[in-house]
Amino acid sequence: MDKATTRFYGFGGLALGIAGNAVTYFLMLFYNQVLGIPAHLVGMALAVALIFDAISDPLMGMISDRTRSVWGRRHPYIYAAAIPMTLSYWFLWNPPDWILVTSKSTFIFLTINLILFRTAMTCFDVPSNAMVPELTKNYDQRTRMMSARVSTAWVGGVAFTILMYGYFLQPTELEPVGILNKAGYQSASWLGACLMLTAIIVSAIGTHKHIGTLGSERPYSAINVAEFYKTVGSILSNQAFRTLMAYAIVWRSTDGLLAALWIYLMSYFWLINSDQIAILSGTNFIGAVIALIITPWLARGLNKRTVIIFTNLGFLFTSVLPVVLRLYGFVTDDRVFAVLLSVNWLGVLLQVITLSLMASMITDVFEDIQKTHHVRHEGAVVSAQTFVEKVSSAAGTWAAGMILLIIGFPENANVGEVATGVVRGLGQYYAGIVAGVSFVSVLLLLRFKLNREQHEENLRRVGTV
């Protein structure tokens, strides 16, 4: 696979990074603390949207697998998703004033808009990811492509987060607390929408030349209820797929939890200001860039599972240990910023490596399924990955909302004025959940047996070396 295609494909991750960071890091804060909507209602809106994802994601995958057009079977949906995805994103941060009259009306608006936004994202993400196993069969090339995609998403997402804290969410005369600056969120939504639109279109155009090679092994059966369940059944019968999805659901739930609670932890638990948060986001940027460079190198000659096990265990050191040390008084106020500077970039590095290799591992499952059922279901299989990403975001944000509800975290809270017991509860719940999830994730991953040698054997058996 030529480098230009890898870069164009990876550039599409910018849209996912901006969308993902904005929704997971800022949505709860914006609707809860800025608009005054109870946190559990925000989590409920995400949960309702998730129900629609459970249908739209696999359906989009199956439709994409079977589509025939002059633009192939993937690109029509990628192009079609560009405008709806960016418009619905903009409306998330710019609800009409008449909607905000009650919590109920705001909840309904948020739920409907999230459904539209996530459905449009599905139309872009599922067909786009389904191209990777069609573009290359090579074990390491797939890692390079997914690393480019995931790392670009992180670099773009982190860069946008730096802009949020360093520029858009600055204190003003009307709003002295930067993270509560409503106008800042709305100004940022314009930039975010434009960048997302550009990333989707550029990525689609950059991979357009490969359309003629992407549809040679499509399923020819029509889509109906019976075929839907048959396809799902053939995919779920694969042990490697089941194991990887179980691992992904458990591990990635920490993504949504960390994203939704990150600003609460930074502002209320660690007590650092917006400028310091912007600097920390800069170190995260460094971690994401390093991951882009070293992930293909780490995976070369090694099995992807082995690398992920070590990165998962390392994540405990960067995410849980500092919180525990803070709770027990070993990290005092004057040491907080130095401690966070030393571990934040490493935490992002480990996360990006994990997500890149996880995405690459799912592409290796296609041939493992094909050798048994003699049909490839790229779109259907990838839709499971996309659905897991949304599950993690929604489940983590819902869990964050429940934690805030359980500990009694106040709405419209001023930094430094939240009760000590509430702040300690925030840290305790976060550290406990992340530690438990990390250990369970490693145990699940140990059951994944599809390695480099088995992948090459699968290629030989299906005749697509």
Side-chain angles (χ1 to χ4, degrees):
M1 181 51 55
D2 61 277
K3 293 182 179 179
T5 299
T6 299
R7 289 167 182 162
F8 278 121
Y9 178 78
F11 189 67
L14 178 63
L16 301 174
I18 292 173
N21 270 34
V23 172
T24 52
Y25 279 83
F26 296 106
L27 188 72
M28 176 68 74
L29 184 71
F30 180 70
Y31 278 86
N32 177 229
Q33 296 295 321
V34 178
L35 300 184
I37 307 304
H40 70 278
L41 287 182
V42 182
M44 189 181 298
L46 284 162
V48 172
L50 186 62
I51 296 173
F52 284 82
D53 287 336
I55 300 172
S56 66
D57 282 21
L59 188 61
M60 182 69 255
M62 294 179 194
I63 292 173
S64 174
D65 282 340
R66 292 162 173 79
T67 295
R68 302 177 190 177
S69 76
V70 293
W71 282 1
R73 56 176 175 169
R74 312 298 184 192
H75 282 74
Y77 305 105
I78 297 174
Y79 286 119
I83 292 178
M85 183 175 166
T86 51
L87 276 179
S88 54
Y89 170 84
W90 183 87
F91 274 109
L92 279 175
W93 312 101
N94 295 272
D97 291 337
W98 58 270
I99 289 290
L100 305 177
V101 176
T102 65
S103 295
K104 181 179 178 180
S105 62
T106 306
F107 164 74
I108 293 173
F109 170 84
L110 175 61
T111 302
I112 294 173
N113 208 45
L114 276 172
I115 292 171
L116 296 174
F117 172 69
R118 288 183 176 276
T119 301
M121 184 183 292
T122 293
C123 292
F124 164 60
D125 200 20
V126 170
S128 184
N129 282 335
M131 288 192 293
V132 174
E134 298 173 318
L135 288 168
T136 178
K137 303 294 188 292
N138 184 273
Y139 189 80
D140 293 318
Q141 285 180 352
R142 289 178 176 180
T143 298
R144 285 194 289 273
M145 293 197 71
M146 297 313 300
S147 175
R149 182 76 153 203
V150 174
S151 297
T152 300
W154 270 83
V155 169
V158 169
F160 197 77
T161 300
I162 294 173
L163 275 177
M164 288 292 291
Y165 291 118
Y167 180 73
F168 291 110
L169 299 185
Q170 289 295 300
T172 65
E173 292 184 4
L174 296 177
E175 181 49 71
V177 181
I179 60 173
L180 302 181
N181 183 0
K182 180 180 178 181
Y185 289 98
Q186 295 177 333
S187 296
S189 68
W190 285 97
L191 177 61
C194 291
L195 289 175
M196 286 166 56
L197 181 63
T198 301
I200 294 171
I201 297 299
V202 169
S203 181
I205 293 175
T207 55
H208 196 98
K209 65 181 180 180
H210 295 286
I211 284 176
T213 66
L214 298 181
S216 59
E217 297 172 314
R218 68 167 59 87
Y220 287 97
S221 53
I223 299 177
N224 51 46
V225 175
E227 183 61 25
F228 179 90
Y229 284 107
K230 180 182 177 181
T231 300
V232 171
S234 65
I235 294 172
L236 290 178
S237 67
N238 183 268
Q239 192 271 340
F241 174 82
R242 293 197 309 272
T243 300
L244 190 57
M245 287 302 100
Y247 162 78
I249 289 172
V250 174
W251 169 252
R252 297 214 60 181
S253 65
T254 61
D255 292 354
L257 180 68
L258 174 60
L261 289 183
W262 194 74
I263 186 59
Y264 288 86
L265 288 166
M266 293 297 112
S267 299
Y268 300 102
F269 182 80
W270 293 110
L271 297 176
I272 62 176
N273 58 42
S274 294
D275 291 335
Q276 291 173 317
I277 292 174
I279 294 173
L280 283 178
S281 298
T283 65
N284 292 346
F285 182 86
I286 294 172
V289 171
I290 295 175
L292 173 63
I293 298 171
I294 72 171
T295 299
W297 175 79
L298 279 176
R300 190 180 306 131
L302 296 173
N303 287 317
K304 301 167 189 178
R305 186 194 73 166
T306 303
V307 179
I308 291 183
I309 289 175
F310 282 102
T311 58
N312 282 189
L313 293 175
F315 191 68
L316 287 171
F317 171 78
T318 62
S319 62
V320 175
L321 184 59
V323 174
V324 173
L325 293 177
R326 173 72 164 171
L327 287 170
Y328 285 95
F330 292 103
V331 179
T332 55
D333 289 348
D334 60 317
R335 298 177 181 173
V336 162
F337 191 55
V339 169
L340 294 180
L341 275 176
S342 65
V343 299
N344 261 32
W345 72 272
L346 182 57
V348 170
L349 172 66
L350 296 174
Q351 262 189 306
V352 175
I353 292 174
T354 298
L355 296 177
S356 298
L357 293 181
M358 190 193 312
S360 179
M361 287 163 70
I362 194 66
T363 65
D364 298 331
V365 173
F366 298 119
E367 289 82 13
D368 203 52
I369 295 174
Q370 185 182 6
K371 74 178 183 182
T372 302
H373 298 279
H374 310 293
V375 179
R376 294 174 67 89
H377 298 286
E378 289 96 341
V381 174
V382 163
S383 70
Q385 174 192 346
T386 306
F387 181 60
V388 165
E389 292 174 1
K390 295 176 181 178
V391 167
S392 69
S393 174
T397 306
W398 174 83
M402 294 307 298
I403 289 173
L404 296 175
L405 180 65
I406 292 170
I407 65 178
F409 201 94
E411 296 165 10
N412 303 116
N414 291 321
V415 175
E417 298 180 4
V418 180
T420 302
V422 173
V423 174
R424 286 186 63 83
L426 177 65
Q428 290 167 345
Y429 272 101
Y430 170 76
I433 291 174
V434 173
V437 164
S438 298
F439 282 117
V440 172
S441 298
V442 170
L443 292 176
L444 287 170
L445 196 58
L446 289 173
R447 299 180 63 248
F448 187 81
K449 306 300 182 183
L450 183 55
N451 55 25
R452 180 188 299 273
E453 292 73 23
Q454 183 61 52
H455 172 69
E456 292 175 353
E457 174 61 25
N458 287 340
L459 290 178
R460 284 191 288 271
R461 291 182 63 178
V462 301
T464 55
V465 177

